[in-house]
């Protein structure tokens, strides 16, 4: 269906691909992996024809349609979300918009309007709309948007009023409705809540075309892909199996390569020692020459590339009291919408609560009540004795001073810390070398999240309140964060849509549902086993 044959590509001074090859057939679902800047987006752009390779060929079978979802969704305004999604299916959207305009015109006829002409035109447009299966198309568009957690109100409202994250969902829905022969999905799991993520997972499992995608959600990748294509050092290597199998195979390959490299180094050292010892003796001249020629012909084994692995260890946090936070008869609402009616909830020391609930259930509101950034309408939310809280919210990243560098931002927060300690902290969170001199305004979402997290964890609180801490983080940084938080001796209350993060760190579950609030002992894994669902209302 699609092949990349010996492609080479250079961006400025950076060489991305050197004689790299890969292929994908109909029905195959593959994950594309590689460090940031390795060339994943460039590879997508070459497949879609937006960028040519410098050398080699990108071959796409005749007639194959490609749908490409990228993080750059472009401008959206002036139409409903449904119309915007249907627009990806060609003229159907324009016909639907004209039908709506004609319906309005028929309901607001003026004295100068030609009723017969409007009715005639309405019949023509409606006929063409039906020919293109427009009514079924609109139904399918609404079904896809509902799967991505859109309410009817949001589907029919002006798409221009949506946040960036919701516009991303509209752009994704457009590709899903199109059902092309091949989908290229660049981080489709970003900005999705757990319910939408699980719905998308099922949709992609049932998709019969070819799929190539990137994702920072290892569980999502594991459940969908049957092969992994890795970009590394300018080459493309294909592994059969899901993401976990790829990690195992890569680790095994590195181990074997290291053993081969060490064996060859030992052999070379022995040969060189012989040559050095006997090169001045005429009686051994022939042997020495023979061994020199042999060494020249040996193809050297390269040592495996060292992946930069970051790790962070918490300094010990001061101990809090046994009661960390308590909700007593808490009522909270926004306008006519009631979020909590008489909520009683207690968090005790070293408990790790994950909060589950559909959009609008009040997950972030609960964290804001704990953090004190919003107040209950009635009742009390009280922190216990000796509680030192660290609060990570999505808006935390907007509070960074854009003109300060990464290092200056850390210095501002910790003026008493030495330069060495701050550089080490920056390195733990992925800012090495010149990265610490980047100004905050040019940082990516992931880099901003890492910087905020570094500032929060350097002087550790004993109570962490985390609202989607893994948004924007790549898999390696998530693993580092999970490893660090696993050793953390304090208390946690968090919201996350990453099932690996939920399973690894929670030991309690608070489930917010329309039927009431439920508390579960045991973590996310036990919650799934007990309820048979991975999120409220979604059965495994």
């Amino acid at each position: 269906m699609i092949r990349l044959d010996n492609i080479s590509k250079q961006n400025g001074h950076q060489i991305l691909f050197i004689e790299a090859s890969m292929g994908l057939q109909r029905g195959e679902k593959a994950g594309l992996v590689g460090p940031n800047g390795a060339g994943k987006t460039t590879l997508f752009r070459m497949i879609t024809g937006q960028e040519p390779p410098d050398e080699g060929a990108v071959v796409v079978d005749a007639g194959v349609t490609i749908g490409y979802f990228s993080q750059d969704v472009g401008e959206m305004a002036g139409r409903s979300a449904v119309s915007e999604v249907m627009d990806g299916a060609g003229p159907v959207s324009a016909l639907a918009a004209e039908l709506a305009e004609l319906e309005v015109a028929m309901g607001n006829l003026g004295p100068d309007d030609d009723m017969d002409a409007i009715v005639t035109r309405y019949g023509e447009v409606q006929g063409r709309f039906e020919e293109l299966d427009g009514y079924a198309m609109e139904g399918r568009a609404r079904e896809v948007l509902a799967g991505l957690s859109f309410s009817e109100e949001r589907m029919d409202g002006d798409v221009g009023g949506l946040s960036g994250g919701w516009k991303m969902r509209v752009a994704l829905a457009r590709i899903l409705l199109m059902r092309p022969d091949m989908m290229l999905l660049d981080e489709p799991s970003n900005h999705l809540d757990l319910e939408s993520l699980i719905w998308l997972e099922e949709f992609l499992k049932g998709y019969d075309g070819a799929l190539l995608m990137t994702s920072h959600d290892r569980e999502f990748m594991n459940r969908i892909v049957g092969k992994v294509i890795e970009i590394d050092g300018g080459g493309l290597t294909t592994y059969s199996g899901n993401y976990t199998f790829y990690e195992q195979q890569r680790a095994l390959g590195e181990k074997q390569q290291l053993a081969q490299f060490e064996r060859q180094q030992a052999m070379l050292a022995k040969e060189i020692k012989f040559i050095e010892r006997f090169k001045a003796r005429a009686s051994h001249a022939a042997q020495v020459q023979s061994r020199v020629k042999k060494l020249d012909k040996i193809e050297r084994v390269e040592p495996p590339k060292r992946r930069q692995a970051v790790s962070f260890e918490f300094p010990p946090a001061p101990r809090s009291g046994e009661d960390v936070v308590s909700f007593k008869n808490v009522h909270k609402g926004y306008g006519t919408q009631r979020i909590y009616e008489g909520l009683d909830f207690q968090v005790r020391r070293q408990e790790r609560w994950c909060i589950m609930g559909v959009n609008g259930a009040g997950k972030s509101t609960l964290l804001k009540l704990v953090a004190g950034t919003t107040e209950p309408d009635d009742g009390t939310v009280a922190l216990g004795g000796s509680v030192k809280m660290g609060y990570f919210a999505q808006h935390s990243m907007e509070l960074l001073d854009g003109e300060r560098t990464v290092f200056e931002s850390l210095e501002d927060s910790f003026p008493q810390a030495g330069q060495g300690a701050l550089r080490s902290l920056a390195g733990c969170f992925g800012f090495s070398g010149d990265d610490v001199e980047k100004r905050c305004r040019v940082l990516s979402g992931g880099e901003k999240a890492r910087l905020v997290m570094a500032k929060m964890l350097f002087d550790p609180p004993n109570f962490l309140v985390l609202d989607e801490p893994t948004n924007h983080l790549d898999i390696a940084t998530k693993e580092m964060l999970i490893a660090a938080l696993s050793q953390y001796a304090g208390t946690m209350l968090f919201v996350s849509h990453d099932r690996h993060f939920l399973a690894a760190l929670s030991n309690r579950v608070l489930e917010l549902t329309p039927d009431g609030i439920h508390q579960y002992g045991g973590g996310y894994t036990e919650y799934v086993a007990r309820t048979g669902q991975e999120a409220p209302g979604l059965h495994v």
Side-chain angles (χ1 to χ4, degrees):
M1 181 175 263
I2 171 247
R3 293 192 324 276
L4 274 64
D5 290 336
N6 294 313
I7 58 158
S8 296
K9 182 71 177 177
Q10 187 167 339
N11 278 351
H13 295 297
Q14 186 185 12
I15 296 172
L16 296 176
F17 299 102
I18 308 166
E19 297 182 353
S21 298
M22 60 154 275
L24 205 59
Q25 299 303 318
R26 176 175 291 281
E28 285 191 314
K29 298 179 173 72
L32 183 64
V33 302
N36 286 338
K40 297 189 286 291
T41 300
T42 300
L43 187 138
F44 281 151
R45 289 174 62 83
M46 286 193 289
I47 292 173
T48 57
Q50 293 170 268
E51 282 189 43
D54 297 335
E55 294 176 17
V58 177
V59 182
V60 179
D61 288 352
V64 167
T65 55
I66 297 175
Y68 175 34
F69 168 75
S70 76
Q71 295 294 300
D72 180 14
V73 299
E75 288 299 314
M76 289 184 191
R79 290 193 288 194
S80 69
V82 171
S83 295
E84 194 70 44
V85 170
M86 288 170 63
D87 188 48
V92 172
S93 174
L95 292 170
E98 190 175 352
L99 278 178
E101 288 169 10
L102 290 165
E103 284 165 5
V104 170
M106 285 190 288
N108 298 287
L109 282 171
D112 299 327
D113 290 326
D114 186 342
M115 176 67 170
D116 289 342
I118 293 173
V119 170
T120 301
R121 179 60 186 160
Y122 186 83
E124 291 169 355
V125 174
Q126 188 178 43
R128 180 67 180 136
F129 189 69
E130 287 175 348
E131 275 177 36
L132 294 174
D133 208 15
Y135 289 110
M137 183 77 72
E138 181 172 340
R140 290 205 302 274
R142 288 182 180 277
E143 191 180 316
V144 170
L145 286 169
L148 296 176
S149 298
F150 276 75
S151 63
E152 287 289 333
E153 183 182 0
R154 201 170 245 150
M155 287 181 204
D156 293 318
D158 187 338
V159 73
L162 298 176
S163 68
W166 285 99
K167 284 181 178 175
M168 289 271 190
R169 296 187 195 209
V170 171
L172 177 59
R174 189 190 289 162
I175 303 298
L176 301 182
L177 180 68
M178 183 180 156
R179 288 192 91 101
D181 298 319
M182 178 178 189
M183 284 194 214
L184 305 177
L185 303 181
D186 192 1
E187 295 295 344
S189 51
N190 274 5
H191 304 285
L192 295 185
D193 54 78
L194 187 51
E195 291 75 24
S196 301
L197 198 61
I198 293 168
W199 178 87
L200 178 59
E201 205 170 85
E202 290 305 311
F203 184 97
L204 293 177
K205 281 181 188 174
Y207 168 63
D208 58 6
L211 171 67
L212 182 63
M213 71 172 189
T214 63
S215 177
H216 289 159
D217 187 320
R218 64 181 300 143
E219 194 61 37
F220 180 70
M221 188 100 87
N222 264 342
R223 297 182 186 205
I224 294 168
V225 306
K227 67 195 279 189
V228 172
I229 299 167
E230 180 189 51
I231 305 174
D232 189 25
L236 289 166
T237 307
T238 299
Y239 296 81
S240 293
N242 64 14
Y243 185 83
T244 298
F245 184 73
Y246 148 75
E247 277 192 318
Q248 293 165 349
Q249 288 300 107
R250 185 186 165 84
L252 180 62
E254 285 181 349
K255 187 177 177 182
Q256 290 171 341
Q257 189 176 348
L258 180 62
Q260 197 179 349
F261 171 74
E262 288 174 344
R263 280 197 303 272
Q264 190 180 69
Q265 290 298 303
M267 181 273 290
L268 292 174
K270 187 177 176 184
E271 292 295 312
I272 290 167
K273 187 177 179 183
F274 179 91
I275 291 166
E276 289 297 317
R277 183 178 176 189
F278 295 109
K279 66 182 177 183
R281 297 190 189 180
S283 59
H284 288 73
Q287 285 176 284
V288 167
Q289 281 301 109
S290 170
R291 295 198 180 197
V292 168
K293 286 177 183 174
K294 178 183 163 187
L295 287 188
D296 287 342
K297 289 178 183 175
I298 288 176
E299 188 175 334
R300 297 295 197 266
V301 175
E302 293 292 323
K305 296 184 183 75
R306 293 287 179 196
R307 289 271 164 135
Q308 186 182 9
V310 292
S311 61
F312 177 76
E313 291 182 9
F314 280 92
R319 182 183 170 122
S320 72
E322 287 302 312
D323 293 330
V324 176
V325 65
S326 64
F327 286 64
K328 290 186 179 169
N329 196 30
V330 169
H331 293 252
K332 182 66 180 176
Y334 296 102
T336 57
Q337 185 186 9
R338 305 311 300 161
I339 306 290
Y340 303 121
E341 299 276 2
L343 171 63
D344 291 310
F345 173 52
Q346 181 88 22
V347 177
R348 297 180 64 80
R349 191 174 74 85
Q350 292 191 322
E351 289 180 339
R352 296 162 173 238
W353 287 89
C354 69
I355 316 298
M356 308 289 295
V358 298
N359 268 335
K363 300 188 294 294
S364 292
T365 298
L366 188 135
L367 300 190
K368 287 174 183 174
L369 287 166
V370 172
T373 59
T374 192
E375 296 293 325
D377 299 335
D378 201 6
T380 61
V381 179
L383 291 180
S386 304
V387 171
K388 178 185 174 187
M389 182 170 57
Y391 176 42
F392 178 90
Q394 294 305 304
H395 76 268
S396 313
M397 299 185 285
E398 297 162 20
L399 303 179
L400 294 169
D401 183 340
E403 293 309 310
R404 303 296 279 169
T405 66
V406 168
F407 191 78
E408 288 168 345
S409 188
L410 292 173
E411 270 190 322
D412 294 343
S413 297
F414 310 108
Q416 305 303 316
Q419 284 215 359
L422 292 183
R423 285 190 180 276
S424 174
L425 173 66
C428 285
F429 283 84
F431 297 103
S432 56
D434 293 340
D435 288 344
V436 295
E437 301 306 326
K438 283 184 178 177
R439 294 199 186 280
C440 290
R441 60 181 158 77
V442 304
L443 298 180
S444 67
E447 288 171 325
K448 285 178 181 175
R450 283 190 269 124
L451 177 55
V452 169
M453 202 106 33
K455 294 170 80 163
M456 184 176 68
L457 299 179
F458 182 61
D459 181 18
N462 51 31
F463 180 35
L464 287 176
V465 179
L466 309 174
D467 194 358
E468 296 287 6
T470 60
N471 272 8
H472 308 292
L473 297 184
D474 60 27
I475 289 177
T477 310
K478 279 186 196 177
E479 293 296 339
M480 179 274 284
L481 188 61
I482 289 170
L485 292 175
S486 296
Q487 302 303 313
Y488 172 63
T491 306
M492 288 173 62
L493 182 68
F494 63 93
V495 173
S496 175
H497 65 246
D498 188 295
R499 284 160 291 181
H500 182 51
F501 190 88
L502 290 168
L505 296 173
S506 60
N507 60 22
R508 300 282 189 283
V509 175
L510 183 72
E511 182 187 55
L512 312 177
T513 75
D515 305 325
I517 292 168
H518 312 289
Q519 301 184 24
Y520 296 88
Y524 177 73
T525 304
E526 289 83 358
Y527 164 82
V528 174
R530 188 180 304 178
T531 64
Q533 60 188 29
E534 294 190 305
L538 293 180
H539 290 273
V540 178

